[in-house]
Amino acid sequence: VRIAPDGVVREGGQIAANCVTLEGRIEGGKVEVFGKLCLCPGGVFALEAVTISELVVANGARLQLDKEFSLKNIEIIGEVHGRLRVTGVAVVRSGGFMSGYLVGHHLIVEEGAVLNASLAITPRDTNSGRQGSGPPGNFAAAEPNRRSAA
């Protein structure tokens, strides 16, 4: 589903889709995305208006968060300012900008990206299933992925 630059999801409007490209605005309506929401330049939404697990902030797009935002995966090519809690992978691509606070388990920052944030990156302990230990700001390398031919 594509919400065009002049498109608006108003109060009472509802969209449920696998993937959504947001170039317009969500103003009081509800949008549930089962796959990925791509926020494009000019796209605007309130956190309460969307249910998403994966977000791409496209080149030229800007996301300003007034409160903590939790999701599974985020890919930042544009700008994000605020507090993020990511249970999967947070990626700041070359040319992307992230400022604020980031809590998560996996972080990828490409050369040419800007990350100006307080970090709490605690890889999951692959043996016990619990989070790694250590205070915020300490960094630990995650164990390499292990694959078996079962």
Side-chain angles (χ1 to χ4, degrees), residues 56-139:
V56 174
V57 180
N59 188 24
R62 185 172 196 273
L63 179 61
Q64 178 70 48
L65 301 168
D66 297 329
K67 61 182 181 179
E68 185 173 275
F69 189 40
S70 297
L71 62 163
K72 182 177 178 185
N73 299 314
I74 186 165
E75 181 178 2
I76 302 168
I77 307 164
E79 290 184 38
V80 175
H81 304 271
R83 298 177 64 87
L84 288 174
R85 181 171 299 274
V86 181
T87 60
V89 179
V91 181
V92 185
R93 298 276 182 214
S94 180
F97 180 87
M98 163 69 192
S99 70
Y101 187 75
L102 175 65
V103 175
H105 301 292
H106 303 283
L107 172 64
I108 299 169
V109 180
E110 291 184 348
E111 184 175 343
V114 176
L115 180 62
N116 182 17
S118 295
L119 302 171
I121 306 300
T122 54
R124 288 192 172 112
D125 181 339
T126 57
N127 295 325
S128 67
R130 61 170 218 239
Q131 288 185 349
S133 61
N138 286 355
F139 301 95

